[in-house]
Amino acid sequence: ILLERSLRIGDNVAVDGFEGRITDIKTRYTLIRAGNGRESIVPNETLITQRVENLSDADRKFNVTTNITVGYESDVAEVQRILCAAAAAQPRVLQVPAPVAYLVNFAPDGLEFSLHFWIGDPGAGTVNLRSQVNIAILEGLRAVGIDIPFPQRVVQFKGDLPAGPASPAPGQP
């Protein structure tokens, strides 16, 4: 790794289910720091024998997604417009390719949408941007009265209910 320079300090990589930025390369291990501050010590042997995705080399664009469920009575085209506009309004979101929203599922509690948008600076963080987009989505949906349902469940009892403590007769303490 040190001689080939296939990976460099500052590269964004994904290896063994862990994604982050390489902060140091030693002779026996490499330090990778995730966006949330967690740091992983990865043996260099792992970087040689397993598949490593170098997210820095090929393309600086990074896809970010967020999901939301709205009520079944919602206008699908209007929801898609609000979702895409919420992402496009953020300065860090790339306009090409444009944000896109898909209706991905008929969930038990409503229509489930997935919003996909691209950024060119994943090192600046994705959770903070996803939060800004989610807030814009919430404001946009509320502005037009689109409901975000909460889970509701019906509980049915079959047979007799178990006996509880006896209730006092009327007029008795």
Side-chain angles (χ1 to χ4, degrees), residues 8 10-14 20-22 53-61 122:
R8 296 177 181 84
D11 282 355
N12 286 313
V13 296
R21 181 179 302 277
I22 295 177
E53 292 180 68
N54 189 337
L55 306 172
S56 298
D57 271 355
D59 196 344
R60 297 294 301 176
K61 289 187 293 206

mmCIF file of all heavy atoms in Angstrom, residues 8 10-14 20-22 53-61 122:
data_model
loop_
_atom_site.group_PDB
_atom_site.id
_atom_site.type_symbol
_atom_site.label_atom_id
_atom_site.label_comp_id
_atom_site.label_asym_id
_atom_site.label_seq_id
_atom_site.Cartn_x
_atom_site.Cartn_y
_atom_site.Cartn_z
ATOM 1 N N ARG A 8 -4.385 6.575 -0.546
ATOM 2 C CA ARG A 8 -3.629 7.698 0.004
ATOM 3 C C ARG A 8 -4.368 8.298 1.192
ATOM 4 O O ARG A 8 -5.600 8.179 1.297
ATOM 5 C CB ARG A 8 -3.461 8.780 -1.060
ATOM 6 C CG ARG A 8 -2.635 8.355 -2.250
ATOM 7 C CD ARG A 8 -2.584 9.473 -3.298
ATOM 8 N NE ARG A 8 -1.818 9.077 -4.465
ATOM 9 C CZ ARG A 8 -2.286 8.378 -5.480
ATOM 10 N NH1 ARG A 8 -3.531 7.990 -5.479
ATOM 11 N NH2 ARG A 8 -1.512 8.068 -6.498
ATOM 12 N N GLY A 10 -6.418 10.757 3.069
ATOM 13 C CA GLY A 10 -7.442 11.672 2.559
ATOM 14 C C GLY A 10 -8.458 10.998 1.656
ATOM 15 O O GLY A 10 -9.527 11.558 1.403
ATOM 16 N N ASP A 11 -8.153 9.785 1.154
ATOM 17 C CA ASP A 11 -9.112 9.067 0.307
ATOM 18 C C ASP A 11 -10.314 8.616 1.129
ATOM 19 O O ASP A 11 -10.173 8.193 2.290
ATOM 20 C CB ASP A 11 -8.467 7.825 -0.320
ATOM 21 C CG ASP A 11 -7.574 8.141 -1.498
ATOM 22 O OD1 ASP A 11 -7.519 9.307 -1.914
ATOM 23 O OD2 ASP A 11 -6.912 7.204 -1.998
ATOM 24 N N ASN A 12 -11.485 8.686 0.529
ATOM 25 C CA ASN A 12 -12.701 8.117 1.129
ATOM 26 C C ASN A 12 -12.817 6.690 0.627
ATOM 27 O O ASN A 12 -12.810 6.464 -0.585
ATOM 28 C CB ASN A 12 -13.945 8.911 0.726
ATOM 29 C CG ASN A 12 -14.029 10.232 1.435
ATOM 30 O OD1 ASN A 12 -13.839 10.307 2.638
ATOM 31 N ND2 ASN A 12 -14.289 11.288 0.695
ATOM 32 N N VAL A 13 -12.923 5.739 1.570
ATOM 33 C CA VAL A 13 -12.969 4.335 1.192
ATOM 34 C C VAL A 13 -14.084 3.613 1.937
ATOM 35 O O VAL A 13 -14.548 4.066 2.980
ATOM 36 C CB VAL A 13 -11.616 3.624 1.485
ATOM 37 C CG1 VAL A 13 -10.494 4.203 0.648
ATOM 38 C CG2 VAL A 13 -11.267 3.671 2.948
ATOM 39 N N ALA A 14 -14.470 2.483 1.374
ATOM 40 C CA ALA A 14 -15.397 1.558 2.032
ATOM 41 C C ALA A 14 -14.719 0.200 2.026
ATOM 42 O O ALA A 14 -14.330 -0.302 0.974
ATOM 43 C CB ALA A 14 -16.722 1.502 1.305
ATOM 44 N N GLY A 20 -15.189 5.480 5.421
ATOM 45 C CA GLY A 20 -14.620 6.687 6.016
ATOM 46 C C GLY A 20 -13.434 7.198 5.218
ATOM 47 O O GLY A 20 -13.148 6.737 4.106
ATOM 48 N N ARG A 21 -12.720 8.137 5.833
ATOM 49 C CA ARG A 21 -11.566 8.792 5.213
ATOM 50 C C ARG A 21 -10.290 8.233 5.833
ATOM 51 O O ARG A 21 -10.191 8.098 7.054
ATOM 52 C CB ARG A 21 -11.639 10.297 5.434
ATOM 53 C CG ARG A 21 -10.491 11.066 4.812
ATOM 54 C CD ARG A 21 -10.606 12.558 5.043
ATOM 55 N NE ARG A 21 -11.828 13.129 4.530
ATOM 56 C CZ ARG A 21 -12.020 13.487 3.271
ATOM 57 N NH1 ARG A 21 -11.062 13.321 2.390
ATOM 58 N NH2 ARG A 21 -13.162 14.005 2.879
ATOM 59 N N ILE A 22 -9.319 7.897 4.988
ATOM 60 C CA ILE A 22 -8.031 7.407 5.480
ATOM 61 C C ILE A 22 -7.300 8.561 6.139
ATOM 62 O O ILE A 22 -7.094 9.607 5.533
ATOM 63 C CB ILE A 22 -7.188 6.808 4.334
ATOM 64 C CG1 ILE A 22 -7.871 5.567 3.773
ATOM 65 C CG2 ILE A 22 -5.778 6.474 4.826
ATOM 66 C CD1 ILE A 22 -7.172 4.943 2.587
ATOM 67 N N GLU A 53 -13.441 -0.253 -1.845
ATOM 68 C CA GLU A 53 -13.977 0.758 -2.760
ATOM 69 C C GLU A 53 -13.311 2.078 -2.423
ATOM 70 O O GLU A 53 -13.445 2.577 -1.306
ATOM 71 C CB GLU A 53 -15.485 0.897 -2.585
ATOM 72 C CG GLU A 53 -16.270 -0.301 -3.031
ATOM 73 C CD GLU A 53 -17.746 -0.074 -2.822
ATOM 74 O OE1 GLU A 53 -18.319 0.793 -3.519
ATOM 75 O OE2 GLU A 53 -18.308 -0.739 -1.953
ATOM 76 N N ASN A 54 -12.578 2.620 -3.390
ATOM 77 C CA ASN A 54 -11.983 3.934 -3.210
ATOM 78 C C ASN A 54 -12.968 4.942 -3.772
ATOM 79 O O ASN A 54 -13.086 5.102 -4.976
ATOM 80 C CB ASN A 54 -10.621 4.036 -3.897
ATOM 81 C CG ASN A 54 -9.902 5.302 -3.529
ATOM 82 O OD1 ASN A 54 -10.519 6.285 -3.129
ATOM 83 N ND2 ASN A 54 -8.589 5.279 -3.662
ATOM 84 N N LEU A 55 -13.682 5.611 -2.892
ATOM 85 C CA LEU A 55 -14.730 6.535 -3.298
ATOM 86 C C LEU A 55 -14.164 7.863 -3.793
ATOM 87 O O LEU A 55 -14.892 8.682 -4.332
ATOM 88 C CB LEU A 55 -15.689 6.774 -2.127
ATOM 89 C CG LEU A 55 -16.286 5.506 -1.511
ATOM 90 C CD1 LEU A 55 -17.061 5.826 -0.255
ATOM 91 C CD2 LEU A 55 -17.144 4.763 -2.507
ATOM 92 N N SER A 56 -12.876 8.060 -3.624
ATOM 93 C CA SER A 56 -12.241 9.314 -4.036
ATOM 94 C C SER A 56 -11.714 9.262 -5.455
ATOM 95 O O SER A 56 -11.656 10.281 -6.131
ATOM 96 C CB SER A 56 -11.078 9.648 -3.097
ATOM 97 O OG SER A 56 -11.544 9.827 -1.796
ATOM 98 N N ASP A 57 -11.287 8.096 -5.906
ATOM 99 C CA ASP A 57 -10.596 7.994 -7.192
ATOM 100 C C ASP A 57 -11.489 8.244 -8.398
ATOM 101 O O ASP A 57 -11.204 9.091 -9.219
ATOM 102 C CB ASP A 57 -9.945 6.614 -7.339
ATOM 103 C CG ASP A 57 -8.540 6.603 -6.776
ATOM 104 O OD1 ASP A 57 -8.061 7.681 -6.372
ATOM 105 O OD2 ASP A 57 -7.944 5.529 -6.742
ATOM 106 N N ALA A 58 -12.575 7.526 -8.483
ATOM 107 C CA ALA A 58 -13.353 7.541 -9.710
ATOM 108 C C ALA A 58 -14.176 8.815 -9.872
ATOM 109 O O ALA A 58 -14.026 9.544 -10.829
ATOM 110 C CB ALA A 58 -14.266 6.317 -9.750
ATOM 111 N N ASP A 59 -15.025 9.078 -8.934
ATOM 112 C CA ASP A 59 -15.988 10.159 -9.106
ATOM 113 C C ASP A 59 -16.242 10.798 -7.748
ATOM 114 O O ASP A 59 -16.489 10.100 -6.775
ATOM 115 C CB ASP A 59 -17.290 9.572 -9.660
ATOM 116 C CG ASP A 59 -18.195 10.632 -10.229
ATOM 117 O OD1 ASP A 59 -17.977 11.817 -9.948
ATOM 118 O OD2 ASP A 59 -19.129 10.249 -10.945
ATOM 119 N N ARG A 60 -16.184 12.092 -7.688
ATOM 120 C CA ARG A 60 -16.398 12.793 -6.428
ATOM 121 C C ARG A 60 -17.883 12.864 -6.078
ATOM 122 O O ARG A 60 -18.238 13.267 -4.984
ATOM 123 C CB ARG A 60 -15.818 14.211 -6.498
ATOM 124 C CG ARG A 60 -14.333 14.280 -6.692
ATOM 125 C CD ARG A 60 -13.540 13.764 -5.551
ATOM 126 N NE ARG A 60 -13.822 14.497 -4.323
ATOM 127 C CZ ARG A 60 -13.304 14.186 -3.162
ATOM 128 N NH1 ARG A 60 -12.492 13.177 -3.051
ATOM 129 N NH2 ARG A 60 -13.605 14.878 -2.096
ATOM 130 N N LYS A 61 -18.760 12.506 -7.005
ATOM 131 C CA LYS A 61 -20.192 12.548 -6.717
ATOM 132 C C LYS A 61 -20.554 11.419 -5.742
ATOM 133 O O LYS A 61 -20.035 10.317 -5.826
ATOM 134 C CB LYS A 61 -21.011 12.418 -7.992
ATOM 135 C CG LYS A 61 -20.937 13.640 -8.872
ATOM 136 C CD LYS A 61 -21.884 13.541 -10.033
ATOM 137 C CE LYS A 61 -21.432 12.450 -10.935
ATOM 138 N NZ LYS A 61 -21.800 12.522 -12.301
ATOM 139 N N PRO A 122 -18.606 14.768 -0.205
ATOM 140 C CA PRO A 122 -19.017 13.885 0.893
ATOM 141 C C PRO A 122 -18.199 14.103 2.162
ATOM 142 O O PRO A 122 -18.664 13.804 3.261
ATOM 143 C CB PRO A 122 -18.817 12.472 0.329
ATOM 144 C CG PRO A 122 -17.881 12.633 -0.804
ATOM 145 C CD PRO A 122 -18.100 14.009 -1.347
#
